[in-house]
Amino acid sequence: MRVIVLVKQVPDMERVKFDTEKGVIDRKSAGTEINPFDLNALETALQIGEKTNSEIIVLSMGPHSAEQSIRDAIARGAHKGILLNDKKFGGSDVKATSVTICAGIKKIGNFDLIIAGMQSVDGDTGQVGAEIAQILKIPHISFVEKLNEFDCNSLTVTSNIWEGIYLKKVKLPALITVTKDINIPRLPSFKNKMLARKAEVTVWGYDDLEEHLEESQLGFKGSPTKVKKIVIPKTAHREGKMWREDYSHAVDNLIEVFKCRKILEV
Amino acid sequence: MTEKYSGILIFAEQKDKTIHKVVFELLSEGRKLAEQLGVGVYCALLGPGGIDAKELIYRGADAVYYVEDDEIFNMPDELAYSENLVNLIKTIKPEICLIGATSLGRSIAPRVAAALETGLTADCTDLRIDDDGKLIQIRPAFSENILAHIVSDKMPQMATVRYKEFQESKPDFNRTGEIVSFNSIRPMDRTFEFIKELSRKETDISDSDVVVSVGAGIKNSEDIKMIYELAGLLKGTVGASRAVVENGFISREHQIGYSGNRVKPKLYFACAISGAAQHIAGMKDADTIIAINTDPSAPIFNIADYGIVGDIYEIVPMLIKRLKEINQN
Ligand SMILES: Cc1cc2nc3c(=O)[nH]c(=O)nc-3n(C[C@H](O)[C@H](O)[C@H](O)COP(=O)(O)OP(=O)(O)OC[C@H]3O[C@@H](n4cnc5c(N)ncnc54)[C@H](O)[C@@H]3O)c2cc1C
Ligand SMILES: Cc1cc2nc3c(=O)[nH]c(=O)nc-3n(C[C@H](O)[C@H](O)[C@H](O)COP(=O)(O)OP(=O)(O)OC[C@H]3O[C@@H](n4cnc5c(N)ncnc54)[C@H](O)[C@@H]3O)c2cc1C
């Protein structure tokens, strides 16, 4: 089998700074990492790969620096990495991103399963997976939190959707998006780290994908949604009353709060 | 291009013939937008026969397009839902299409947008019409740290909208409107071999007025009983940080935060929770926040209205005792 894992490079959210006054996001100081949900996607692929002897390919669209994320994925056990990178891809929304990634997937060809994260921690739409499935005309299963059974023809998973937990079985090829609950991602092994350092990361630009892509579908031009403005909301003003001792007094105060807020009927 | 598209279409999500409450919220917001634009509000109801479609009219729809099928809409089958919704949108040609950002909504909407080759804004918390009659879609991003204003330059302008952001519309039994039945299409290629419901959410934590949450300061699953007791006395529900879920002390349905449930209760009570950004993302919009933590520098105190620097093993039992006394009088 051939399994493609979609990996997005994102800023390390712990270290991104948000300037409320100026309304700007400072990502420069933050450093980058693999979108945390995509580590779960990769782990899912590795587990399937071990049992089915599959080839695991990581595919990412992004700046040159995203090569680092691909190497990290190889260090964790992926066999091969491809980066989609071109100035023409800049400013892509979900639609343009999905179309471009689909072109990459078509160029790879002969895939059985595509695994994505349920959302990214920056753009945060959670839409790329299902859009890709639609464009490729394959079924998808969202919010997969357990891998139940799989072979080379089908996949049975548990999905948290529609106010319930559902068992779904799907024929391959298919796409799934995974939650953080599906597994605990493994760390890079020493041996693989060495491999990753030397590994060749294939980079494809527009010219390589031309066959599957029209220029009008790309980047800013190919993006129907436009971010017009970004507002960094001030955190709501809170009373901020604190008690450090005399707990009995504090408890009395809380009881008053419950009464005032009509939590306790009096 | 714009003239051909008119009106606001709302996806009326249902399960077991019960319409999801987010639909009533979208109807109240949809009506406001429609008034500004001078257009109609329509609902797309995809479900088995026997759903009370009139309720959607009473609550603000001018017409309900009812795609009735007793088989394909009983399960969360994205292919069945999206193909039928695409078909309906192509016929009605609305300028705006709103879908509740429920788990099903968020799974179907991208397929629909991709099939229509239009844009889709995710998880909106506010909607406005600008001077040119275009929809401004406001949504949090960067793990809830920012609000982005987004516009779409293709029709229909599609967005998923979060539950509990708008007031529900009240039914007005004098309202009239049309119920149009629509034939379903069955996806040609049945690639799902089966979909089976294993269990369902009994209570939706996001419906609770009071959430009492517990963090990693709890020592074992047995001790969570006191949190349940406190929640019970406050007529609330128990929530938890991811750390407690990962320790296996409580099930995932209780997790509050970025990758768990988002809640907006009247009161949020954080017991031994540090206040990591991913936790705060799920509860920062509570009306009142109370925190108990032994560490005075815990970030949770930065967003709390009331904080007690102390041990939950000491303070929670004191609170329980006081609340019980009050109940007895
Ligand atoms: C503030 C802000 C708000 C935005 N809002 C919208 C919006 O409402 N609608 C819209 O269409 N666009 C929006 N965008 C643009 C959007 O974030 C980007 O198009 C982005 O490339 C893809 O979306 P995502 O980050 O939301 O990914 P998601 O859909 O959240 O990602 C889900 C999964 O898809 C895969 N994936 C996503 N991107 C890549 C990639 N580049 N390479 C490989 N795999 C990937 C990963 O497996 C990931 O876990 C917004 C951007 C910003 C900065
Ligand atoms: C992609 C991603 C998604 C995530 N999603 C979520 C999410 O949805 N929800 C979530 O909660 N987390 C989420 N996390 C994890 C998050 O970053 C934190 O690790 C987690 O919230 C910590 O939980 P905690 O506050 O209970 O534990 P800790 O950070 O360990 O805090 C425990 C606190 O309890 C206090 N304490 C200890 N003993 C006592 C006592 N006896 N009495 C009073 N106080 C005491 C300590 O001082 C400390 O402040 C996510 C992380 C990532 C990377």
Side-chain angles (χ1 to χ4, degrees):
Chain A
M1 281 217 300
R2 176 174 281 174
V3 182
I4 301 176
V5 185
L6 304 180
V7 165
K8 186 181 185 187
Q9 187 191 43
V10 296
D12 174 359
M13 293 306 290
E14 306 286 328
R15 277 189 265 156
V16 178
K17 292 195 186 72
F18 298 94
D19 186 332
T20 323
E21 297 302 318
K22 296 202 198 98
V24 291
I25 308 166
D26 175 13
R27 301 191 221 191
K28 296 235 168 59
S29 52
T32 56
E33 59 183 20
I34 294 185
N35 179 39
F37 297 93
D38 301 351
L39 290 179
N40 298 92
L42 176 61
E43 178 63 33
T44 310
L46 295 174
Q47 288 177 10
I48 293 175
E50 280 158 7
K51 295 244 170 72
T52 53
N53 201 12
S54 299
E55 182 191 19
I56 313 296
I57 304 178
V58 277
L59 177 61
S60 185
M61 169 177 139
H64 274 297
S65 62
E67 229 185 90
Q68 197 43 49
S69 293
I70 290 178
R71 282 187 202 283
D72 184 9
I74 292 172
R76 288 167 199 264
H79 300 129
K80 198 167 142 189
I82 299 166
L83 175 65
L84 307 181
N85 171 276
D86 198 307
K87 275 205 200 80
K88 294 192 170 114
F89 302 159
S92 293
D93 71 352
V94 168
K95 180 173 177 281
T97 301
S98 305
V99 167
T100 310
I101 292 177
C102 279
I105 293 172
K106 285 178 189 159
K107 190 171 166 81
I108 295 170
N110 281 330
F111 63 90
D112 299 281
L113 179 63
I114 301 169
I115 311 182
M118 67 175 267
Q119 72 207 88
S120 75
V121 295
D122 56 354
D124 216 351
T125 66
Q127 295 175 170
V128 169
E131 291 220 5
I132 287 175
Q134 176 65 34
I135 299 169
L136 295 174
K137 299 195 165 54
I138 56 172
H140 81 278
I141 303 178
S142 302
F143 312 116
V144 171
E145 55 177 39
K146 194 174 163 201
L147 205 52
N148 296 77
E149 272 175 45
F150 51 85
D151 54 37
C152 295
N153 303 309
S154 71
L155 183 73
T156 308
V157 296
T158 307
S159 152
N160 188 338
I161 196 166
W162 218 31
E163 273 86 60
I165 306 293
Y166 286 86
L167 192 67
K168 291 186 170 189
K169 182 172 183 184
V170 72
K171 271 187 235 153
L172 301 179
L175 181 146
I176 61 173
T177 76
V178 303
T179 72
K180 272 189 84 60
D181 296 309
I182 190 165
N183 52 40
I184 298 169
R186 72 191 64 180
L187 295 171
S189 72
F190 181 73
K191 185 181 128 234
N192 284 338
K193 263 191 192 165
M194 301 305 287
L195 274 176
R197 213 173 294 161
K198 284 189 228 126
E200 181 99 29
V201 174
T202 308
V203 181
W204 287 339
Y206 172 66
D207 293 342
D208 301 292
L209 300 174
E210 214 169 7
E211 199 185 324
H212 308 286
L213 209 56
E214 278 162 44
E215 211 168 334
S216 63
Q217 299 176 297
L218 297 182
F220 194 70
K221 262 197 294 175
S223 294
T225 67
K226 303 266 150 54
V227 179
K228 284 285 159 192
K229 189 164 96 178
I230 281 177
V231 182
I232 300 176
K234 294 201 169 74
T235 31
H237 183 74
R238 300 274 176 187
E239 203 158 328
K241 178 112 189 68
M242 295 264 270
W243 294 278
R244 287 160 196 273
E245 50 207 15
D246 193 0
Y247 296 141
S248 142
H249 174 67
V251 166
D252 287 342
N253 276 277
L254 289 190
I255 300 284
E256 282 314 306
V257 171
F258 299 154
K259 286 179 181 166
C260 276
R261 306 289 147 101
K262 307 219 162 26
I263 307 286
L264 280 186
E265 277 144 45
V266 274
Chain B
M1 167 188 125
T2 327
E3 306 94 83
K4 274 180 29 204
Y5 289 85
S6 168
I8 300 178
L9 182 71
I10 294 166
F11 171 60
E13 179 177 338
Q14 59 79 38
K15 181 172 181 177
D16 297 339
K17 302 185 189 177
T18 303
I19 292 164
H20 195 292
K21 279 192 264 173
V22 72
V23 178
F24 304 145
E25 298 172 0
L26 292 180
L27 276 168
S28 80
E29 185 59 16
R31 274 249 69 91
K32 277 189 218 152
L33 302 174
E35 240 96 276
Q36 287 179 54
L37 292 166
V39 299
V41 175
Y42 317 115
C43 277
L45 177 59
L46 281 56
I51 302 175
D52 185 13
K54 278 211 294 296
E55 175 157 24
L56 296 166
I57 304 275
Y58 296 153
R59 290 193 189 250
D62 297 308
V64 177
Y65 295 86
Y66 189 173
V67 190
E68 209 180 295
D69 194 308
D70 286 338
E71 264 174 50
I72 58 174
F73 301 130
N74 287 326
M75 283 293 154
D77 179 340
E78 283 88 351
L79 292 173
Y81 272 96
S82 61
E83 284 187 29
N84 280 282
L85 200 51
V86 166
N87 190 30
L88 204 60
I89 292 171
K90 281 187 176 159
T91 316
I92 302 169
K93 291 197 168 49
E95 63 199 284
I96 293 174
C97 178
L98 303 177
I99 296 177
T102 59
S103 50
L104 184 70
R106 294 193 66 175
S107 190
I108 298 169
R111 283 203 90 102
V112 174
L116 296 169
E117 297 186 22
T118 191
L120 176 64
T121 303
D123 230 9
C124 296
T125 52
D126 205 359
L127 300 168
R128 289 176 204 157
I129 302 290
D130 73 4
D131 296 339
D132 305 326
K134 299 210 70 182
L135 185 67
I136 303 184
Q137 301 147 77
I138 301 173
R139 64 170 298 249
F142 277 85
S143 306
E144 308 279 315
N145 281 297
I146 67 155
L147 285 175
H149 291 227
I150 291 172
V151 293
S152 327
D153 57 21
K154 276 192 115 179
M155 289 287 162
Q157 305 163 82
M158 278 187 74
T160 62
V161 182
R162 268 190 199 165
Y163 183 33
K164 299 252 166 183
E165 293 296 337
F166 302 105
Q167 292 290 323
E168 272 179 38
S169 60
K170 299 269 167 321
D172 167 0
F173 298 105
N174 296 318
R175 273 191 58 89
T176 54
E178 215 183 338
I179 296 171
V180 186
S181 54
F182 218 82
N183 286 338
S184 68
I185 41 175
R186 299 272 173 99
M188 296 250 276
D189 185 11
R190 303 297 299 161
T191 36
F192 281 113
E193 290 190 13
F194 65 72
I195 304 178
K196 201 157 64 187
E197 188 172 24
L198 298 176
S199 65
R200 62 175 64 192
K201 266 194 209 157
E202 292 307 332
T203 49
D204 189 348
I205 203 164
S206 61
D207 285 332
S208 292
D209 279 340
V210 176
V211 176
V212 182
S213 282
V214 61
I218 201 87
K219 296 193 185 94
N220 51 57
S221 56
E222 188 59 22
D223 294 349
I224 295 185
K225 280 195 183 139
M226 71 175 175
I227 306 296
Y228 272 97
E229 195 172 4
L230 179 58
L233 288 161
L234 297 171
K235 300 191 181 57
T237 313
V238 172
S241 70
R242 185 168 176 86
V244 180
V245 175
E246 274 178 353
N247 284 342
F249 292 172
I250 199 163
S251 71
R252 284 193 293 274
E253 284 84 86
H254 296 271
Q255 185 183 318
I256 307 295
Y258 178 62
S259 59
N261 296 284
R262 233 175 253 118
V263 295
K264 270 176 122 178
K266 281 204 231 161
L267 173 66
Y268 190 84
F269 205 136
C271 303
I273 290 176
S274 61
Q278 293 90 351
H279 188 79
I280 290 177
M283 45 64 77
K284 66 177 185 324
D285 294 325
D287 294 344
T288 302
I289 298 171
I290 301 177
I292 306 177
N293 198 305
T294 42
D295 175 5
S297 63
I300 191 79
F301 287 130
N302 298 338
I303 60 149
D305 296 277
Y306 305 98
I308 303 181
V309 181
D311 190 334
I312 55 165
Y313 284 91
E314 188 180 346
I315 297 157
V316 171
M318 279 172 78
L319 254 175
I320 290 172
K321 189 160 162 269
R322 278 301 308 274
L323 288 166
K324 278 186 175 161
E325 283 164 16
I326 293 172
N327 278 359
Q328 270 157 17
N329 295 331

